[in-house]
Amino acid sequence: TKIDNFSNLSCSFDGVDDYVGLGNDSALYPGTGDMSYSMWFKADAVSGYQTIISPTTIGTTTKGVAVNLLGDEIMVFMGVAVSGQWGVNTGGGTGGGGLLTSGVNIATGTWYHLAVTLDRDGDGVIYIDGSAVLTAAMNPNDYSATDITAAYNIDIGRNVGYFDGLIDDVSIFNAVLSAGEVSTIYNSGEPTDLSAESGLVGYWTFQDATFIDLPAPLPDSWSIPDDSTNSNNGTTSGMGADAIRNQAPDNMEQGLS
């Protein structure tokens, strides 16, 4: 059993109104460059849309990247503020509904590592547990030079649907992670410290979260430090004192079998 992993805490989301707000720092958006996302999750339900990380508002007429579950598959949107157009689509089509996996079959009660890499003049790739499950060319209408920056806040756990389950170790990079780098981050199913990784622009591990107990009627919350150098600390909404759980991937001593 393992009791001394780098990660032994995660954040619980109820699928109703829980989320972590990260602010709207432009560093959390792709801008005109590439971007990659890494996160761990364990879903308590696999129906409809459940957002893992996204701007508060996402659509073809807005800008930003949203990473979601859709049923038991993964769906990624990249808005480029062109009506009816996503910046990357399954099969590389000019319309459509973003990147959507097929046959991934996410199961409830199981930890997964998810990585998404977006090479603006190449491919979008979705990885599950260190292996690529979908590769698609970026939209052939060529939005590689579009500045994908918006004023919307970035949130963990909400957008087109609220997430129901546990999320851990969310990170954003302003670069395209290679297949080898994704495999290293997956680390055979055990989260590892990414704070010294090149290109890291946001990193929320939940290990050093602080509970803020406010007098009624003010709502309690958690402060979630950003462990990159950008200090985009998160604040929970809708969550009580039990939001941070003594559970994490590959930490059997924490009740995670």
Side-chain angles (χ1 to χ4, degrees):
T1 58
K2 299 185 177 182
I3 59 175
D4 59 351
N5 288 359
F6 165 74
S7 179
N8 55 33
L9 300 174
S10 60
C11 192
S12 176
F13 297 77
D14 65 4
V16 177
D17 61 359
D18 290 354
Y19 69 93
V20 179
L22 306 177
N24 63 352
D25 189 339
S26 61
L28 304 181
Y29 282 86
T32 57
D34 301 325
M35 190 150 272
S36 297
Y37 301 81
S38 169
M39 64 214 70
W40 299 80
F41 70 90
K42 183 168 77 168
D44 288 339
V46 286
S47 61
Y49 280 103
Q50 297 185 71
T51 298
I52 302 177
I53 188 168
S54 171
T56 302
T57 298
I58 187 70
T60 59
T61 59
T62 62
K63 294 180 179 181
V65 177
V67 180
N68 313 276
L69 297 187
L70 176 55
D72 59 359
E73 301 294 335
I74 305 298
M75 191 163 205
V76 178
F77 300 123
M78 187 172 81
V80 291
V82 177
S83 182
Q85 297 278 311
W86 293 107
V88 61
N89 289 306
T90 304
T94 58
L99 282 179
L100 177 62
T101 64
S102 176
V104 168
N105 300 323
I106 297 297
T108 59
T110 298
W111 279 105
Y112 293 91
H113 178 254
L114 167 62
V116 177
T117 65
L118 299 172
D119 182 347
R120 299 288 294 279
D121 54 5
D123 294 330
V125 185
I126 296 176
Y127 298 82
I128 294 289
D129 291 347
S131 297
V133 296
L134 176 65
T135 300
M138 301 300 272
N139 196 311
N141 281 354
D142 190 7
Y143 299 114
S144 60
T146 300
D147 186 350
I148 302 177
T149 306
Y152 300 113
N153 289 339
I154 304 294
D155 297 328
I156 297 173
R158 76 158 179 178
N159 180 260
V160 289
Y162 286 89
F163 185 81
D164 185 3
L166 300 174
I167 296 176
D168 193 17
D169 282 38
V170 178
S171 54
I172 303 176
F173 298 82
N174 62 3
V176 177
L177 294 172
S178 69
E181 288 170 325
V182 171
S183 179
T184 298
I185 292 172
Y186 171 56
N187 193 34
S188 300
E190 181 180 324
T192 187
D193 186 2
L194 306 180
S195 58
E197 294 297 315
S198 176
L200 186 70
V201 295
Y203 188 28
W204 302 272
T205 68
F206 304 101
Q207 299 304 300
D208 42 6
T210 302
F211 185 61
I212 304 171
D213 189 0
L214 297 175
L218 298 175
D220 297 333
S221 63
W222 287 85
S223 176
I224 314 295
D226 175 3
D227 293 320
S228 76
T229 60
N230 285 327
S231 301
N232 289 306
N233 298 334
T235 302
T236 64
S237 179
M239 299 182 180
D242 62 347
I244 301 301
R245 300 294 177 87
N246 200 22
Q247 300 187 35
D250 197 40
N251 200 324
M252 306 305 292
E253 207 48 44
Q254 309 296 327
L256 297 178
S257 58

